[in-house]
Every structure is written in C-alpha cells, then in structure tokens.
Amino acid sequence: MTSRAETLLESATIEINGMNCASCVAHVEQAARKVAGVDACQVNLARGRAAVRFDPAQTDPQRIAQAITQSGYSATPEEAGTQAADAEERRSQRQAEEATAWFRRAAAGIILWLPLEAAHWILQAAGSHAHHLPAQSTWMGWASLLTSTIAMLYVGGRFYASAWKALRNRTSNMDTLISLGATVAWGYSLIYFLGGLAGAWPPPRLHDLYFMEATGLLALISLGHWLEARARQSAGSAIRELLELVPSVALRLPENGEDAAPSLSASPRLRVIASSSAPPEEVPIAALHPGDRILVRPGDRIPIDGDVVEGRSSVDESMITGEPIPVTRGVGDAVVGGTINQDGRLVVRVTKTGSQTALAQIVALVENAQSDKPPVQRLADQVAAVFVPCVLAIALITGIGWYAWGAAHGWPAGQTWSTVARTVCSVLIIACPCALGLAVPTAVMVGTGRGARRGILIRDIDALQKAELIDTVVLDKTGTITRGRPVLTDVVVLNGMASDDLLRLAAGAEQYSGHPLAKAVVARARERGLTIPDPDGFTSEAGAGIVAEVEGRTLLVGSDAMLLAHGATDGDGQIPALAPGNTFVHVASKSPAGVERLGVLVIADELKPDSIEAVAQLHRLGLRTVLLTGDNRAAAEKVAKMVGIDDVRAEVRPADKAAVIESLRAGNSRRVAMVGDGINDAPALATADLGIAIGGGSDIAKEAGDIVLVSGSLTGIAASIRLSRATMRKIRQNLFLAFIYNVLAIPLAAFGLLSPLVAAAAMALSDVTVIGNALLLRRTKIED
C-alpha cells in the first residue's frame, strides 16, 4: 500500500525569494509541510529553491507556493515544461538583481558612515577638545544623527520589512536580530541625545552615542550580503556553465515535402542529398522535434542530441565527459548536444529534446544532488529553527545582567544604559544563523558542480558520504576494465567440421543476443561473408550461454559449465591446449543420443587504455581492488595481473554477483564500491555501499548507481572518491566554523568584549568565510 501511494506522488520545484538564513529555511519548510497533501519539502538556501513532493489529488505547486508566500517569502512554482536554461537564466538574473540591490545599500551605508567615523577617530587621535564637548554642541553630533536616520530608513529598510513579515507570521529570522540590534543602538542614542538637549540628564559626549555604530553595522552587514550574493552566484556557476554549452538556435534542414520519417522505399542516401541541398532555416532550439534534421558546420556546437545521418567529423566531448581527446563521429553514431563539431560537416537527425537530452539529464541530476541534505545539515536546521528566539533571550539576559551590575557598582545612569545598549546590540548583531544554513549546501553545490564538469555525476548527498568511506572497489571486467568489444581470434574445430560452418552455426544461435561475446561471434561471421541462418527458437541462460534450434539441430553455445550441465562429457581430452587468459565459447550439438562437442571459439577483449593507471590510482588511495566477472578464472586472472588488481572472483553468474558483494561487506566489515555498466550489474550496484556506473550514450538518467561516470573512463573512480573526501571535509569545516563562531562570539559580545561595529563586521564575514571556504573546492586536486 505504501509503495502504491509513493508512486502517486509528484515532485515540483519552487523558486523562493527573501531567504537569508537557516531560520528562513526552517520557516519555509514548515509552511510548505503544513499544506495538506505535501509529503516532503527540502529547501536549498544557497540556490533559493525548494523541492517539494506532494499528492496531486490534494494540492498543487501553486497552493504550496501561496502558503510559502503567506509565511513571508515570495514563492513562484517552476512550470513543468520550463526549459532548464530558461529557469536557470531567470534564477541567475534574480541573483544578479539581488546582488546589485545589496551593493547599492552597502555603498550608501558606507558613504553615510565611513567619513564621519574616520573624522571621529582622527579628532580623537589628535586630542581635539571637540571630542570631549557635548554632542549637541558639535556639528559631528548632529551630522551623525542625520546620517544614521537616513541609513536606518534606506539601508535598514529591507531588514525591517523582512523582520515585520516574520513578526506578522509569528516567527523570527536573522533580520529580526539585525533590526533589533540597529534599533537598540539608534533608539538609545536618540533618547540620550534628545534627553540631554532637553536637560533631562547631563548631555552625552559623542563617544557615548551609537549613531555611527548603527549606520556602520547596517553598512557592513549589507556589504556582507553583497559579498555573499556574489559568492552564491560563483558557487552555483557549474549549472550555468553546463547550460551555456548549448546554443540557442539551430540550422534546421527542410524535408522537401517529405515526412520526418520517410518511407524505406526511397534511397536514404539520395533522400539525404536532396534534402540537404536546400538552404537551412535558423530556428530556436525549443522549436526542434524528434525527426528534424539539422546542419552542424565545422566549429559549431552541436545544439541537441541526435544521430549522424551524413558526414564525418571529430567531436570534442570534453565538456560533457571530461575527456580531452576528441572522438570521431560518423553516420549512425549518436552525438550529444553541447559538444563541439571540430572539422567536418554533419547532418544530424534529432532524437531527443527538452528534458530528455543528456545535458538536461545531467543538470537535473546535479540539481537533485544539491537539494539533498545530510543528517548533519538537518541537525543544523533544527538548531537554527530555535536559534533566533534563544539569541533574543540571551540579549534580554545580557541587558538585565549589565543593568544589575551597574546598579550594584554604583555606575552613573549614563554609563549603565550605554553599556546595556552596547552589549545587547552586539549580541543581537553578532549572532549568525545564516552561516549554519549555508555551511552544507554551498559545499555540495561546488563539489557536485566540480564533478559535473569532470564527467562525474553524483546523484545525492548520500553518495558523497558513502564514497568518502569506501575501502574496497569491486570492478566488473567486460566493458569496465576491458573495452567491452571482444574480438574473435580463433576457431577450434573438434569434429572435422569446416571452421566457417562452425562459425556460421554459432553466429546463427547468437545473433539475437545482446551479450558482447555473442556480438563478437556474429561480427566475425559477417566479416567473413558467411550466410548466417535464423534460429527457429532460442533460450538465453543468464551468465551461461544460448540454447538455440538452428538448421534442425539443437545448439549449445556458451561456457563449458553450461555444456556439462546439459550432459556433455568433460572436454579436457578433446580440446587442445588453448592460450590461457582468453575467453572460450564452447559449441555443442544436443540430441537424444547425448551432447557432442563441435568446437571452441577463442575470444579476446583488450584492456581500456586507462585501466592500468586507474587501478594504480585506487591503490595510491589505499583501496583494495577486486575483479568480479562471470568469465573463466584463467581469463580473469590474466586481466587482473595485467592491471594489478588484488583479488579475483571469477565464474560468477549475474544473479550471484550481489551475494559476492554482500560477502565482501560482511567478511571484514568493509565498505564496498561496485563499478559496473549500470544495467547488467544493477543488482550488484544496488547491494554495494556505493554503486558507480560506467556511463555511455545519452540515457544518463537510466544509469544505475549512486555515481555515474559519463566518459566511461576508470580514472573517474579515484577522482570521484577524492572529490567526495574533499567535499565532506569542506562540509565539516564549514559546520565547525559556523558553530564555533556562534559559540565563541555570543559570549564575547555578552561580556562586553566586542563593540557593535566589530560584531557587525564579524557577522558579515562569517557568511563570506563559509562560502569562500566552499569555493576552495575548485582548487582541490581531484586528478592524480
């Protein structure tokens, strides 16, 4: 029942403006979850967006956004059909506008504060008697009142508006603290200033007032928000860079009145030439549909995923796969949007559009990973939810404490209230829940973005956490360590049959199998020009071989173990000595009289060029390596020895690979990563602590595994582990910085050891420090 309910849930993304701290995150998530039908909501402060999962029978994204808006934050649901590039452009524009607004406020605040502050310190340093005169009798006293009032209205306007919204919704946020801190400093100074002017108490001197401090703290905090906004833009640049790879227009070729999928009776070559001769039409990418044919000139970026129907060229796919060497693409080959056509003219038939393209799938995976939260971040959010009320309580206790201290020690009223105002203001200003909210998402954003540029797609935060702890890497052989395109090198006949006849029959049995070994047999038969018969029926025995009816006989084509299982005698006496380390496909004929061995097909599979280096990198990271394959032990051990793998588990059926993984995990309490093709090895990938799928093609989203290596290069395994270790290290550093900052800063402010200006500068820098530390991930070396 639960699984059925989960399948009925839908997901949506909601853009949110106005969040600036972890308290805001908690309030938004709480507001969304109160809506009937909402199953989950995760807010990413750094991205300014919420990912919600809901029951469409009870609610919709518009209602959820409305609830968030009513809680004090501007929320807009992202339309389901929105192009990723359009959504990212709007988000980027919004961030740029926000940064500009903060810059203007910061600039205004600095202009209003810094000249007066500098003059004040210069006069004090020079020993000017004006510094000791009553503030009302100096131009600087009146000027500080005027500039501070303007700053409170203009620079502080946004803080007060946000605090008022929170108050109306019976909540609090970081702006509540900032507004109260500025109000305490300015309000105390105004009362003290006007009371002294009216003769209610002795007139204060300039350094007894906090007008300039109120202006300065608003200026510095606004400056910090501007730096934070710029840093957020930089942290989220990976997705923008990916989306910018795709051109906005394409050159579509007309079909000359024919359908996008013309009849097979016409010559494909003549049809391509005829239609390609017409001038192309420049159209937006959004106007393309599957079946459209587009022209890609040398030097152009390929605008969308498709298959080459004319031409041949070198294509630079480094921006997608991370591999610097161009690959050759010709007729029948698939190409990916965003890659660069280097030196040839290509005509490409569109196969995927919109969210189905490889680039869109990559962006979706990266955004999904950036929206996830590890348990430690959920703890930080829980702390932040009660952080502001706790700080308000601490500020109240601080004020009462200093008032009591002043009264007990006989301080003058002016000194007592000045100390109360200074310490309360400092406590309110220096407390920073914002750093708690940014500590994890900024590091995850930069880390996953760095991985995406390298062709490493991390599905979620759990993958980062698990990859960091891996101590054993299990690798599949075919298609992972080797190229996965085995070649038939020899045909050994046992019963006097001609080798071509044996190969022809074996190819007939294997031609509808998708196994790489079967493809190698069929390919060699076609190379020799043999007529391959159609089987009357066949059965695939997973991990063993094929049983097929070909030309009136039952053929067994597969492993020696399969032949023995069907009743064949041990072939050691019949089969000549064969080169160890190769793969052998045994062929036999089965009849009521028994099983007759017909011959052996010898198949070799060459290593990928980077397999040796990839395994060496894993060993340098201190990881144990295991080769897991269904191939015979001799072939497996040969490959393992060539690349330097520590342990070999051979002749393992696909259904049993998960059990081997489980035994490795249980035996020595190891953390195991399984590396496979993402489809055939799906059970093993799911059983392992971490599944790493070797990608290939454009169906990125269909790849199994927690991490997908788009390029297919094994060096990505070590790179992904280094990246995960570096990212988790930054997450821990950021959380430490955020917590230790508040743990140390608040007591210092409460005991009067920090002035409001120092508190404002420290609070502004705390956010920038956390984001800046995350941005250092860009410089972290993940390649060996």
Side-chain angles (χ1 to χ4, degrees):
M1 196 73 177
T2 303
S3 61
R4 182 181 176 186
E6 288 177 354
T7 59
L8 296 176
L9 296 177
E10 294 183 3
S11 299
T13 300
I14 298 177
E15 306 272 346
I16 304 173
N17 291 327
M19 295 190 301
N20 51 30
C21 69
S23 295
C24 299
V25 171
H27 296 153
V28 169
E29 290 183 347
Q30 185 179 20
R33 289 182 180 130
K34 284 182 178 179
V35 178
V38 172
D39 179 70
C41 175
Q42 286 196 333
V43 175
N44 187 320
L45 174 61
R47 294 278 290 161
R49 63 202 299 267
V52 295
R53 193 166 67 246
F54 61 94
D55 182 355
Q58 298 185 59
T59 188
D60 56 53
Q62 192 62 49
R63 291 182 192 174
I64 301 171
Q66 185 177 359
I68 295 173
T69 300
Q70 290 173 351
S71 71
Y73 305 89
S74 175
T76 307
E78 188 176 286
E79 296 180 10
T82 303
Q83 292 284 332
D86 295 337
E88 185 61 30
E89 184 178 355
R90 286 198 305 270
R91 192 177 297 122
S92 179
Q93 183 178 358
R94 188 189 72 234
Q95 288 178 335
E97 291 172 354
E98 182 180 10
T100 301
W102 281 120
F103 177 79
R104 289 172 179 167
R105 288 183 176 86
I110 290 172
I111 291 171
L112 290 169
W113 161 66
L114 194 56
L116 275 178
E117 186 71 30
H120 169 62
W121 286 105
I122 290 171
L123 289 174
Q124 185 177 10
S128 171
H129 71 285
H131 178 72
H132 302 284
L133 293 175
Q136 297 90 335
S137 63
T138 67
W139 65 270
M140 190 172 292
W142 289 97
S144 62
L145 171 61
L146 176 63
T147 56
S148 181
T149 303
I150 295 172
M152 293 289 286
L153 294 173
Y154 177 66
V155 183
R158 179 162 176 174
F159 298 114
Y160 282 104
S162 174
W164 174 245
K165 285 181 181 179
L167 182 61
R168 282 193 310 171
N169 288 280
R170 300 178 182 179
T171 62
S172 57
N173 57 23
M174 187 181 72
D175 291 335
T176 303
L177 301 179
I178 295 171
S179 301
L180 283 174
T183 300
V184 167
W186 183 82
Y188 156 78
S189 301
L190 181 65
I191 293 173
Y192 201 2
F193 185 87
L194 295 179
L197 188 65
W201 42 68
R205 290 175 296 178
L206 189 61
H207 65 267
D208 294 325
L209 303 177
Y210 297 127
F211 286 129
M212 285 183 283
E213 280 77 2
T215 306
L217 67 89
L218 290 175
L220 289 174
I221 293 171
S222 296
L223 179 63
H225 279 322
W226 173 65
L227 293 173
E228 177 188 329
R230 291 289 303 273
R232 284 193 198 184
Q233 285 181 291
S234 182
S237 63
I239 289 179
R240 287 195 300 275
E241 290 172 3
L242 284 172
L243 292 172
E244 287 170 359
L245 295 177
V246 179
S248 58
V249 296
L251 298 176
R252 183 169 62 188
L253 295 170
E255 290 290 340
N256 284 350
E258 295 183 67
D259 293 335
S263 65
L264 296 175
S265 59
S267 165
R269 177 65 182 162
L270 291 176
R271 186 168 61 251
V272 169
I273 293 174
S275 58
S276 299
S277 62
E281 173 190 9
E282 187 173 275
V283 297
I285 293 296
L288 293 176
H289 302 283
D292 287 347
R293 289 174 26 265
I294 57 175
L295 172 66
V296 186
R297 298 168 300 194
D300 286 353
R301 285 193 183 275
I302 297 172
I304 204 163
D305 293 7
D307 294 331
V308 178
V309 295
E310 180 183 344
R312 188 175 182 84
S313 178
S314 296
V315 177
D316 180 2
E317 298 182 346
S318 60
M319 61 289 300
I320 302 294
T321 66
E323 294 300 309
I325 302 175
V327 294
T328 302
R329 297 293 184 222
V331 175
D333 292 332
V335 290
V336 177
T339 55
I340 300 175
N341 176 28
Q342 290 194 327
D343 51 24
R345 175 183 178 277
L346 296 176
V347 176
V348 176
R349 185 175 296 280
V350 177
T351 57
K352 295 179 181 178
T353 59
S355 62
Q356 299 302 311
T357 63
L359 194 60
Q361 292 177 37
I362 290 172
V363 169
L365 285 174
V366 173
E367 287 192 330
N368 178 67
Q370 293 178 353
S371 297
D372 277 348
K373 293 182 182 180
V376 68
Q377 177 61 39
R378 298 188 188 104
L379 173 63
D381 288 348
Q382 291 172 1
V383 172
V386 297
F387 185 87
V388 174
C390 289
V391 171
L392 292 174
I394 293 171
L396 179 61
I397 294 170
T398 299
I400 294 172
W402 279 108
Y403 181 82
W405 179 273
H409 289 75
W411 285 4
Q415 182 183 358
T416 299
W417 285 109
S418 173
T419 304
V420 169
R422 179 167 56 85
T423 54
V424 169
C425 178
S426 296
V427 169
L428 292 171
I429 293 301
I430 204 165
C432 185
C434 188
L436 291 173
L438 291 170
V440 174
T442 50
V444 173
M445 283 174 63
V446 178
T448 53
R450 176 83 186 277
R453 282 192 289 266
R454 169 60 176 79
I456 301 169
L457 301 185
I458 300 167
R459 289 189 180 275
D460 51 41
I461 187 67
D462 287 340
L464 279 174
Q465 291 182 291
K466 291 185 288 188
E468 178 195 27
L469 302 174
I470 292 301
D471 56 24
T472 301
V473 178
V474 179
L475 301 109
D476 181 41
K477 184 176 78 71
T478 305
T480 303
I481 296 291
T482 63
R483 288 186 178 275
R485 293 191 295 270
V487 178
L488 191 148
T489 58
D490 195 11
V491 178
V492 179
V493 178
L494 300 178
N495 68 341
M497 179 186 294
S499 63
D500 280 358
D501 287 338
L502 176 62
L503 178 58
R504 184 177 62 83
L505 291 173
E510 296 269 41
Q511 64 180 309
Y512 296 115
S513 171
H515 195 283
L517 298 181
K519 291 180 179 179
V521 173
V522 175
R524 179 50 58 94
R526 287 175 177 161
E527 286 175 10
R528 292 189 179 182
L530 304 179
T531 302
I532 302 175
D534 273 333
D536 296 321
F538 74 95
T539 303
S540 176
E541 296 190 6
I546 295 285
V547 179
E549 298 293 330
V550 180
E551 294 184 346
R553 68 171 75 189
T554 301
L555 289 181
L556 307 177
V557 184
S559 67
D560 187 52
M562 187 187 84
L563 268 62
L564 293 174
H566 279 267
T569 58
D570 193 331
D572 287 348
Q574 295 176 267
I575 303 173
L578 300 173
N582 292 316
T583 299
F584 307 116
V585 176
H586 298 261
V587 184
S589 176
K590 185 175 182 180
S591 67
V595 176
E596 179 189 4
R597 292 180 179 269
L598 303 180
V600 180
L601 308 178
V602 183
I603 296 178
D605 187 6
E606 62 179 334
L607 297 175
K608 287 183 177 178
D610 58 357
S611 292
I612 297 175
E613 173 59 24
V615 173
Q617 289 185 19
L618 294 175
H619 288 156
R620 285 196 288 272
L621 288 174
L623 303 175
R624 176 174 176 251
T625 53
V626 178
L627 183 65
L628 180 62
T629 179
D631 210 343
N632 66 79
R633 176 159 292 278
E637 288 181 345
K638 176 183 177 182
V639 170
K641 185 176 180 180
M642 290 172 66
V643 299
I645 289 179
D646 302 320
D647 190 9
V648 175
R649 305 297 171 95
E651 300 176 9
V652 180
R653 296 164 64 93
D656 297 329
K657 286 186 177 181
V660 173
I661 295 293
E662 192 61 51
S663 68
L664 288 171
R665 293 177 61 196
N668 298 302
S669 299
R670 291 186 173 275
R671 301 295 181 92
V672 178
M674 172 67 193
V675 185
D677 63 12
I679 298 173
N680 296 332
D681 297 310
L685 289 168
T687 303
D689 294 291
L690 178 73
I692 301 178
I694 301 295
S698 57
D699 285 328
I700 303 299
K702 293 182 181 179
E703 299 287 358
D706 304 298
I707 295 176
V708 179
L709 305 181
V710 180
S711 68
S713 171
L714 289 185
T715 56
I717 304 171
S720 64
I721 292 174
R722 289 192 198 94
L723 178 63
S724 70
R725 290 178 178 178
T727 303
M728 294 307 299
R729 187 163 56 247
K730 288 299 178 187
I731 287 174
R732 283 190 286 270
Q733 289 173 359
N734 278 355
L735 286 171
F736 173 79
L737 290 172
F739 275 109
I740 201 67
Y741 164 81
N742 286 291
V743 168
L744 295 179
I746 293 176
L748 290 175
F751 283 105
L753 300 177
L754 296 176
S755 72
L757 274 182
V758 173
M763 194 276 277
L765 287 174
S766 66
D767 299 347
V768 178
T769 300
V770 165
I771 298 176
N773 187 50
L775 288 173
L776 291 176
L777 271 172
R778 291 180 169 182
R779 300 182 181 180
T780 300
K781 185 179 179 181
I782 63 173
E783 305 291 346
D784 198 351

